[in-house]
């Protein structure tokens, strides 16, 4: 069929040409009144003559006709202006020949070449326009269209388009405008799109459906989805109607990148334009909403579909069952399963298999078996996919006997298990670490199915994980004989598993031994080895491997940079970690949230609190949305830096932003609240956590128990402790230590011992913190002898004391006036390499001074200062009082002046004792100074109490 807007005369000429140039002509007829009313004539071509089609294609190369044989449609340009030559007078019918047409086409091609040569010969401007004007080639519609189809640069195309319109002094035809739009599509530049569409709208010309479809399809293929959406939106802005297929292509593409909101917007546009939106389109959109976890939106869309009198088919029900099931919404999946049956739709293999898989993943194996049996009862031929799913279900919970029975049952029904069934079983055995059983199955399966690359890789993974180096290389040789090696996936598994299992030398040797011509390393290979080297503290080797990767032309991804940053920080080299981050910013590496979260975590752990804060703000500045982990890292870092009071404010920021709070996020907030003394709010948050279906973990309970114990709410702490045990959580040393510390602090030593005893019955070994809590409680209860006995028990259980342990004992001994024993412990701790800290010296000096052993206290005081030690205000006050009581007023006053110079506060009692000593020694001038300080101290204390 040929359609033309040229009128009757043109069609008559075409018929005359046809009768003179063709020897065998199939039936030709003028027809279709519908097109006549629009100024088109239609020729129907009967038969399928290759000679006729070829001649017509050559004849109609310059368009205006649409040639539609039964096999395909050809869009053709202006048909030589009613069968004329391009530039001459109308040809008579007896003058037209295929040679003439061929020469006309060649002339047009030469003209297009000349125009393009002028245009591309320089930057568009007056000189280019003058060259075009002075050339022998004058712009005509067919020439403009042909040139536009050749041009690639939008700016040049628009300039030529406008120049041609001015020169011809007439409006371009619809195809010229559509050709200009196609230039934009080819170059993916839509800067002037709205301007072109606006002109088309004013002149009454619209984009062809084919143009619309081609532009959207071009954008989709080049992954320019934003540009495709912009094109559709621009068409709608100027009241054009985008093609149905353009919408469906774009919705399908948006589904692949998980953009449910844009998909829904386009779906609603189609409905507004009166397009009939079918069930399959709804199915696509529902699937993406459900996959994104937006259950309410997906259900709302299903309701909208029903309100439009569209009823779900089996495919849509299968999608709903599968996607909701994968989200863990088992009840919802069951609802759809029963609903489809109630609507008279029979579940198919996909329905049953999806539902069985969902139940297996939810550990509802009995229900899965029941459904499997129900399916089997209605089938003459076993469904291999359902058997594989059920075998995987049994294997995932360790019921391998049941899985083997199912294999035998499948064989008994005349269906030999396929390789997928065996691979499923091998995968489950691998996850359970059952290497020997996997090796046996690998040998047995060869009777039914030949191992494929996945089978070998599963077994290779197991052998490498368990450091079976020789067996792994033997398997590699077997694969090589089977023609399955070298294979980059297998190499990557070997390198990754050896690295993770600690066999980093073997992993490195495999990498070095790779033949790059047969099997070149890819990004995964480098990533596995760089990470392995870094985790084994070989960060310099890891960095050299990164350089090697760059030299090979491969581009490191965010995972590699994340690994390097983390490993440099873990190796105690934060400056190098920062350097890697800066290098990554200079590269074209895509920044993802995982990388920034990891970097922020490293920075906080390195004690760089302000830089950590800045990184959190940088996440937002880069257009990324902080997630629950981002906030957890920030809160944990601030709590560690002593800024726990900001926790609640950040918690509200998380909620306002719509972050999904997981257990880790809740734990960070709860811990921060407890450490800032807001235990009640922490307790409320734990209850909220339970209400939202997020089960508190042992960390959650530990934080709240510790918070309650620290403010002496021990009954509540113990009740929470029992609750945690009742829900099946295994208590750890930290929680037991928190309770022991709480009871010991308030003098409930017996209760503390009982908790310690329970802890040891659970085969948990007390750590140094646990022992210190109990020792401190005994010292405060003045049970020094008991504390010494406990110290021996600590040594017998191979728990090495730390400096704080000795400080506690020295303090207790000094308080009991057992100074010689205290000195022995001080010397002992120095012998085992522990350096007495400020607390130890302060404890000893204060105790000696208050006990009147001034010479020993002063000697220790001077010795510690000479070592560069920094004593606190309590120690200075105790020394001043001791020297004053020991009638050493001069030394006391010197220390008094030193204390003031350091900015320490001087207690009123210290001032009174010193003042009395100075007056007795008739040091009246010094006494006057102390008196003034005493008055100032008294005023400050009074003002503080009034406030």
């Amino acid at each position: 069929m040929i359609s033309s807007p040229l009128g009757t005369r043109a069609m008559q000429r075409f018929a005359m040409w046809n009768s003179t140039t063709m020897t065998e002509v199939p039936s030709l007829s003028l027809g279709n009144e519908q097109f006549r009313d629009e100024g088109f004539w239609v020729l129907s071509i009967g038969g399928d003559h290759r000679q006729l089609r070829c001649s017509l294609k050559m004849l109609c190369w310059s368009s205006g006709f649409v040639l539609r044989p039964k096999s395909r449609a050809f869009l053709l340009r202006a048909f030589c202006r009613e069968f004329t030559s391009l530039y001459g007078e109308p040809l008579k019918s007896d003058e037209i020949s295929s040679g003439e047409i061929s020469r006309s086409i060649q002339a047009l091609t030469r003209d297009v070449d000349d125009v393009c040569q002028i245009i591309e010969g320089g930057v568009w401007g007056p000189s280019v326009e003058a060259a075009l004007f002075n050339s022998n080639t004058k712009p005509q519609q067919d020439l403009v269209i042909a040139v536009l189809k050749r041009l690639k640069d939008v700016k040049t195309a628009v300039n030529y388009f406008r120049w041609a319109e001015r020169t011809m002094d007439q409006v371009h035809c619809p195809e010229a405008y559509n050709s200009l739009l196609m230039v934009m599509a080819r170059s993916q530049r839509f800067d002037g799109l709205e301007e072109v569409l606006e002109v088309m709208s004013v002149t009454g010309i619209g984009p062809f459906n084919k143009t619309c479809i081609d532009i959207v399809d071009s954008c989709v293929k080049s992954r320019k989805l934003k540009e495709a959406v912009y094109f559709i939106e621009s068409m709608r802005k100027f009241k054009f109607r985008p093609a149905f297929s353009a919408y469906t292509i774009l919705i399908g593409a948006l589904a692949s990148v998980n953009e449910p909101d844009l998909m829904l917007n386009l779906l609603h546009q189609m409905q507004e334009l009166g397009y009939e939106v079918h069930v399959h389109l709804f199915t696509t959109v529902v699937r993406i909403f459900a996959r994104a976890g937006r259950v309410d939106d997906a259900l709302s869309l299903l309701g909208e579909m029903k309100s439009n009198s569209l009823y779900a088919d089996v495919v849509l029900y299968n999608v709903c069952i599968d996607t909701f099931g994968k989200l863990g919404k088992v009840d919802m999946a069951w609802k759809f399963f029963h609903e489809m049956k109630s609507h008279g739709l029979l579940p198919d293999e996909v329905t049953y298999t999806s539902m069985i898989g969902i139940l297996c993943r939810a550990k509802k194996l009995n229900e899965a078996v029941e459904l499997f049996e129900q399916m089997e009862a209605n089938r003459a031929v076993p469904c291999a996919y359902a058997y594989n799913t059920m075998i995987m279900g049994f294997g995932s919970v360790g019921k391998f006997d049941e899985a083997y029975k199912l294999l035998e049952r499948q064989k008994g029904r005349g269906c030999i298990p396929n390789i997928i069934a065996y691979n499923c079983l091998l995968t489950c055995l691998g996850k359970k670490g059952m290497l020997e059983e996997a090796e046996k199955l690998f040998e047995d399966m060869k009777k039914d199915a030949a191992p494929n690359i996945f089978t070998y890789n599963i077994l290779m993974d197991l052998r490498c994980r368990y450091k079976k180096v020789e067996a792994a290389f033997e398997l590699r040789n077997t694969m090589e004989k089977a023609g399955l090696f070298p294979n980059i996936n297998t190499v990557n598994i070997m390198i990754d598993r050896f690295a993770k299992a600690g066999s980093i030398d073997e992993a490195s040797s495999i990498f070095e031994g790779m033949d790059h011509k047969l099997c070149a390393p890819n990004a995964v290979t480098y990533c596995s080895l760089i990470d392995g080297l870094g985790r084994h503290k070989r960060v310099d080797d890891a960095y050299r491997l990164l350089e090697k990767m760059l030299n090979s032309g491969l581009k490191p991804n965010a995972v590699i940079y994340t690994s390097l940053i983390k490993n440099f920080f873990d190796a105690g080299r934060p400056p190098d970690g920062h350097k890697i981050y800066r290098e990554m910013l200079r590269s074209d590496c895509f920044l993802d949230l995982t990388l920034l979260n990891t970097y922020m975590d490293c920075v906080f752990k390195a004690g760089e609190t302000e830089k950590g804060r800045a990184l959190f703000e940088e996440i937002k500045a880069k257009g990324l949305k902080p997630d629950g982990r981002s906030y957890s890292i920030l809160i944990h870092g601030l709590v560690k830096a002593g800024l726990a009071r900001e926790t609640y404010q950040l918690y509200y920021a998380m909620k306002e932003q719509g972050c999904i709070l997981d257990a880790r996020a809740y734990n960070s907030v709860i811990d921060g609240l407890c450490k800032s003394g807001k235990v009640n709010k922490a307790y409320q948050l734990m209850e909220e956590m339970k209400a939202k279906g997020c089960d508190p973990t042992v960390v959650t309970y530990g934080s709240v128990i510790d918070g309650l114990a620290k403010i002496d709410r021990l009954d509540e702490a113990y009740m929470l402790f029992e609750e945690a045990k009742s829900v099946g959580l295994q208590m750890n040393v930290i929680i037991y230590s928190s309770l022991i510390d709480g009871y010991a602090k308030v003098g409930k030593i017996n209760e503390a011992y009982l908790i310690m005893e329970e802890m040891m019955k659970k085969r948990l070994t007390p750590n140094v913190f646990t022992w210190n809590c109990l020792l401190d409680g005994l010292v405060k209860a003045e049970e020094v002898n008991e504390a010494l006995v406990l110290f021996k028990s600590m040594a017998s259980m191979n728990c090495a004391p730390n400096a704080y342990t000795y400080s506690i004992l020295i303090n207790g001994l000094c308080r009991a006036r057992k100074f010689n024993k205290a000195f022995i412990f001080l010397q002992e701790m120095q012998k085992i390499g522990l350096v007495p800290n400020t607390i130890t010296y302060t404890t000893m000096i204060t105790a000696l001074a208050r006990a009147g052993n001034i010479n020993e206290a002063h000697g220790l005081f001077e010795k510690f200062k000479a070592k560069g030690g920094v004593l606190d205000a309590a120690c200075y006050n105790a020394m001043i009082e001791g020297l004053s009581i020991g009638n050493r007023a001069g030394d006391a006053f010197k220390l008094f002046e030193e204390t003031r110079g350091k900015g320490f506060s001087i207690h009123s009692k210290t001032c009174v004792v010193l003042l009395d000593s100075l007056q007795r020694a008739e040091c009246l001038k010094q006494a006057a100074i102390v008196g003034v300080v005493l008055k100032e101290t008294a005023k400050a204390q009074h003002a503080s109490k009034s406030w």
Side-chain angles (χ1 to χ4, degrees):
M1 182 183 293
I2 298 179
S3 305
S4 173
L6 303 178
T8 310
R9 187 178 171 206
M11 298 308 297
Q12 288 171 344
R13 290 193 178 187
F14 173 75
M16 290 169 64
W17 172 84
N18 187 71
S19 65
T20 59
T21 56
M22 304 299 295
T23 53
E24 268 187 64
V25 183
S27 58
L28 295 169
S29 62
L30 296 169
N32 202 328
E33 294 296 327
Q34 177 189 349
F35 289 100
R36 291 180 193 175
D37 294 337
E38 297 176 9
F40 281 78
W41 283 91
V42 179
L43 277 175
S44 296
I45 304 172
D48 186 17
H49 295 267
R50 181 185 299 176
Q51 185 180 1
L52 175 61
R53 276 203 311 277
C54 292
S55 298
L56 288 178
K57 284 168 65 179
M58 183 173 69
L59 177 65
C60 301
W61 187 83
S62 329
S63 150
F65 284 81
V66 180
L67 176 63
R68 295 192 183 95
K70 291 179 182 177
S71 58
R72 61 182 295 188
F74 297 96
L75 287 177
L76 310 166
R77 279 178 296 164
F79 187 58
C80 296
R81 290 229 182 161
E82 298 189 314
F83 302 99
T84 69
S85 65
L86 286 172
Y87 308 107
E89 293 299 319
L91 296 173
K92 296 177 182 179
S93 60
D94 57 357
E95 294 175 325
I96 301 174
S97 67
S98 59
E100 290 288 338
I101 297 299
S102 178
R103 283 192 293 276
S104 298
I105 293 169
Q106 289 171 6
L108 179 60
T109 304
R110 283 196 301 273
D111 291 342
V112 171
D113 291 339
D114 292 342
V115 170
C116 289
Q117 189 175 0
I118 294 169
I119 291 171
E120 293 168 357
V123 179
W124 187 274
S127 59
V128 173
E129 290 185 7
L132 286 171
F133 188 80
N134 295 326
S135 68
N136 295 325
T137 308
K138 302 303 176 187
Q140 295 184 30
Q141 292 289 359
D142 53 350
L143 177 64
V144 172
I145 292 165
V147 170
L148 288 173
K149 288 185 176 180
R150 186 83 65 84
L151 294 175
K152 295 178 182 178
D153 182 68
V154 177
K155 212 170 191 181
T156 305
V158 170
N159 286 328
Y160 174 71
F161 186 83
R162 288 172 177 166
W163 174 84
E165 193 170 48
R166 289 195 306 272
T167 306
M168 291 188 300
D169 195 23
Q170 68 179 64
V171 177
H172 283 298
C173 67
E175 190 170 355
Y177 275 100
N178 281 272
S179 297
L180 182 59
L181 291 176
M182 287 307 299
V183 178
M184 294 182 178
R186 287 197 299 274
S187 64
Q188 303 297 312
R189 293 278 304 278
F190 294 96
D191 299 342
L193 174 65
E194 291 195 11
E195 186 181 346
V196 173
L197 289 177
E198 187 176 9
V199 174
M200 291 176 75
S201 176
V202 171
T203 55
I205 298 170
F208 298 154
N209 276 350
K210 186 178 184 304
T211 304
C212 179
I213 294 165
D214 286 348
I215 288 174
V216 171
D217 190 50
S218 170
C219 291
V220 166
K221 285 177 179 174
S222 57
R223 300 176 183 269
K224 302 280 187 180
L225 299 187
K226 287 183 180 178
E227 285 79 357
V229 172
Y230 171 66
F231 175 71
I232 294 289
E233 295 293 343
S234 299
M235 283 190 69
R236 294 277 290 139
K237 180 179 177 180
F238 294 103
K239 310 301 181 187
F240 294 123
R241 179 186 172 95
F244 180 89
S245 295
Y247 275 113
T248 55
I249 289 168
L250 186 51
I251 288 172
L254 290 169
S256 66
V257 293
N258 297 315
E259 288 285 356
D261 292 314
L262 283 174
M263 293 169 68
L264 185 61
N265 182 38
L266 292 173
L267 186 75
H268 287 156
Q269 281 187 33
M270 293 179 74
Q271 291 173 317
E272 288 170 15
L273 292 169
Y275 285 128
E276 185 178 342
V277 181
H278 47 71
V279 175
H280 299 304
L281 212 52
F282 270 101
T283 302
T284 302
V285 183
V286 168
R287 179 191 285 116
I288 302 305
F289 269 112
R291 278 183 184 170
R294 295 170 61 176
V295 177
D296 292 338
D297 291 318
L299 293 173
S300 173
L301 199 57
L302 289 171
E304 182 185 325
M305 190 185 80
K306 289 178 183 177
S307 67
N308 290 336
S309 300
L310 289 171
Y311 297 99
D313 57 7
V314 174
V315 175
L316 178 54
Y317 275 114
N318 287 346
V319 166
C320 291
I321 289 168
D322 183 58
T323 50
F324 282 104
K326 284 175 180 174
L327 289 171
K329 308 283 183 184
V330 182
D331 293 337
M332 192 75 75
W334 264 128
K335 172 185 169 294
F336 284 115
F337 183 82
H338 293 303
E339 184 182 302
M340 73 181 291
K341 292 172 78 175
S342 67
H343 288 172
L345 295 170
L346 293 175
D348 59 10
E349 291 179 2
V350 177
T351 319
Y352 275 110
T353 307
S354 294
M355 198 66 225
I356 289 166
I358 290 162
L359 293 168
C360 288
R361 285 193 295 274
K363 309 299 181 190
K364 296 186 177 184
L365 215 58
N366 292 335
E367 292 177 54
V369 171
E370 185 181 339
L371 197 63
F372 176 77
E373 295 299 343
Q374 181 184 327
M375 177 189 178
E376 276 286 275
N378 299 322
R379 289 184 62 85
V381 179
C383 172
Y385 190 49
Y387 269 92
N388 294 345
T389 306
M390 203 66 240
I391 287 167
M392 191 75 175
F394 281 127
S396 64
V397 294
K399 293 189 174 183
F400 292 106
D401 290 338
E402 298 294 329
Y404 291 136
K405 285 177 186 175
L406 206 57
L407 277 176
E408 294 304 318
R409 177 176 164 181
Q410 189 177 359
K411 291 179 187 178
R413 292 201 61 190
C415 180
I416 297 173
N418 58 25
I419 190 64
I420 297 171
Y422 284 106
N423 285 350
C424 286
L425 259 177
L426 280 170
T427 301
C428 294
L429 289 167
K431 286 179 179 177
K432 300 292 180 184
M434 300 171 69
L435 177 58
E436 290 183 12
E437 189 71 22
E439 297 278 10
K440 183 176 179 298
L441 181 65
F442 176 71
E443 295 302 324
D444 292 343
M445 68 175 281
K446 293 175 183 176
K447 302 170 189 173
D448 297 326
N452 61 13
I453 186 67
F454 300 106
T455 319
Y456 282 110
N457 284 346
I458 293 165
L459 197 59
M460 181 68 78
D461 177 72
L462 262 174
R463 289 183 179 181
C464 293
R465 212 189 312 160
Y466 286 92
K467 300 184 182 181
K468 304 287 184 181
V469 180
E470 290 182 10
F473 282 104
E474 184 182 326
L475 188 65
R476 188 187 69 175
N477 295 337
T478 306
M479 291 176 70
E480 199 166 357
K481 288 175 184 175
L484 298 173
F485 194 87
N487 173 281
I488 191 59
N489 291 330
T490 309
V491 172
N492 288 346
I493 288 170
M494 293 179 77
I495 289 173
D496 185 63
R497 298 304 182 269
F498 275 136
K500 285 177 179 173
S503 304
I504 193 67
D505 292 332
E506 284 79 2
S508 298
S509 69
I510 292 168
F511 178 83
E512 295 300 330
M514 289 178 71
D515 186 340
H516 289 210
K517 291 180 181 178
L518 296 174
C519 182
N522 59 17
V524 177
T525 322
Y526 281 103
C527 183
S528 297
L529 192 52
I530 286 170
D531 185 58
L533 290 165
R535 282 189 287 105
H536 286 81
K537 308 301 179 189
R538 290 169 58 178
V539 285
D540 292 319
D541 290 338
Y543 186 74
R544 278 191 285 273
L545 195 59
L546 174 73
E547 291 177 330
K548 188 173 183 179
M549 180 182 183
L550 289 166
N551 292 335
S552 71
L554 288 173
K555 182 181 173 183
N557 56 23
V559 178
I560 292 174
Y561 280 114
T562 304
S563 170
L564 276 169
I565 289 168
K566 184 179 183 303
N567 289 324
F568 268 112
F569 270 92
D570 289 347
R573 292 167 62 177
D576 290 318
H578 294 310
K579 178 187 169 187
I580 298 291
Y581 180 71
R582 289 192 297 272
E583 283 182 17
M584 185 207 61
L585 290 178
R586 286 194 294 271
S587 72
D588 295 329
C589 178
F590 175 74
L591 273 175
D592 65 4
L593 192 56
T594 303
L595 186 150
L596 289 168
N597 281 344
T598 304
Y599 183 42
M600 180 168 63
D601 189 40
C602 291
V603 166
F604 271 120
K605 285 177 180 174
E608 301 176 36
T609 307
E610 290 309 312
K611 186 166 181 62
R613 279 182 190 270
L615 269 171
F616 183 79
E617 294 303 320
E618 189 177 327
I619 289 172
K620 293 188 279 187
K622 290 186 181 297
L624 297 170
K625 186 178 177 182
D627 60 2
R629 183 163 181 255
S630 311
Y631 278 99
S632 299
I633 291 166
L634 176 63
I635 292 168
H636 184 72
L638 293 174
V639 169
K640 193 177 174 184
L643 301 168
R645 294 188 179 277
E646 298 180 36
T647 300
Y648 213 59
Q649 182 184 349
L650 290 168
Y651 167 66
Y652 274 116
M654 287 172 78
K655 293 189 80 172
E656 284 174 13
Q657 190 176 296
C659 283
I660 298 171
L661 273 73
D662 56 6
R664 179 175 179 171
Y666 272 113
N667 289 345
S668 296
V669 177
I670 287 169
D671 185 53
L673 290 170
C674 289
K675 283 187 167 60
S676 61
K678 298 174 182 176
V679 182
N680 288 336
K681 286 183 179 177
Y683 198 90
Q684 288 168 10
L685 200 58
M686 189 170 77
E687 293 303 314
E688 177 191 307
M689 187 178 177
K690 294 177 191 173
K692 290 191 174 179
C694 184
D695 295 329
T697 65
V698 68
V699 177
T700 322
Y701 279 103
S703 296
V704 182
I705 288 169
D706 185 60
L708 290 166
K710 276 184 168 59
I711 57 174
D712 301 338
R713 288 164 61 177
L714 292 166
D715 291 340
E716 293 171 73
Y718 190 76
M719 284 173 63
L720 211 56
F721 175 72
E722 290 296 328
E723 180 188 310
K725 289 194 291 183
S726 69
V727 296
L729 290 173
Q730 297 295 318
M731 297 295 96
N732 57 29
V733 175
I734 297 169
I735 295 176
Y736 277 106
S737 298
S738 295
L739 279 173
I740 291 167
D741 184 44
Y743 281 119
K745 271 195 311 185
V746 297
K748 294 186 176 182
I749 305 300
N750 290 335
E751 286 83 350
Y753 267 119
L754 287 172
I755 297 292
M756 174 82 93
E757 190 177 327
E758 180 185 325
M759 172 184 165
M760 294 173 78
K761 281 180 181 176
K762 298 279 186 183
R763 296 189 176 180
L764 292 171
T765 306
N767 59 24
V768 68
F769 176 75
T770 318
W771 290 105
N772 286 348
C773 291
L774 200 49
L775 283 169
D776 192 47
L778 288 168
V779 165
K780 285 176 181 174
E782 299 183 356
E783 297 280 354
V784 180
N785 292 332
E786 184 69 23
L788 292 171
V789 172
L790 191 68
F791 180 73
K792 289 180 181 178
S793 300
M794 179 181 177
S796 67
M797 292 188 69
N798 298 319
C799 182
N802 59 16
Y804 187 61
T805 315
Y806 280 100
S807 295
I808 292 168
L809 289 171
I810 289 167
N811 180 41
L813 290 166
C814 288
R815 287 172 66 179
R817 304 182 68 82
K818 297 184 177 182
F819 301 114
N820 291 335
K821 189 74 173 172
F823 268 110
I824 290 170
F825 271 102
L826 183 64
Q827 291 168 352
E828 184 182 312
M829 72 181 292
Q830 290 173 322
K831 279 181 184 176
I832 63 173
L834 292 174
V835 179
N837 55 23
T838 303
I839 296 171
T840 312
Y841 274 104
T842 300
T843 300
M844 193 79 183
I845 292 164
T846 303
L848 287 167
R850 285 176 180 170
N853 293 358
I854 301 304
N855 293 330
E856 290 88 343
H858 195 254
L860 205 57
F861 182 86
E862 293 300 331
K863 181 181 177 183
F864 185 59
K865 281 204 301 180
K867 287 183 177 180
V870 180
L871 293 162
D872 60 8
C875 189
Y876 274 95
N877 278 278
M879 274 304 304
I880 292 167
E881 288 178 33
L883 290 167
S884 299
I885 292 167
N887 295 319
R888 291 172 61 177
D891 293 334
F893 185 76
K894 284 179 185 177
L895 202 56
F896 172 81
E897 289 292 288
E898 185 182 327
T899 307
R900 288 177 67 201
K902 289 183 178 293
F904 290 139
S905 62
I906 299 177
H907 303 159
S908 297
K909 182 190 171 187
T910 306
C911 288
V912 170
V913 173
L914 178 58
L915 184 62
D916 182 60
S917 178
L918 289 167
Q919 287 173 345
R920 278 190 279 110
E922 297 182 356
C923 299
L924 301 180
K925 188 177 177 182
Q926 291 87 339
I929 295 170
V930 175
V932 172
V933 173
L934 180 60
K935 284 179 183 179
E936 290 175 355
T937 305
K939 282 180 184 179
Q941 288 175 351
H942 178 72
S944 176
K945 287 177 183 178
S946 300
W947 175 254

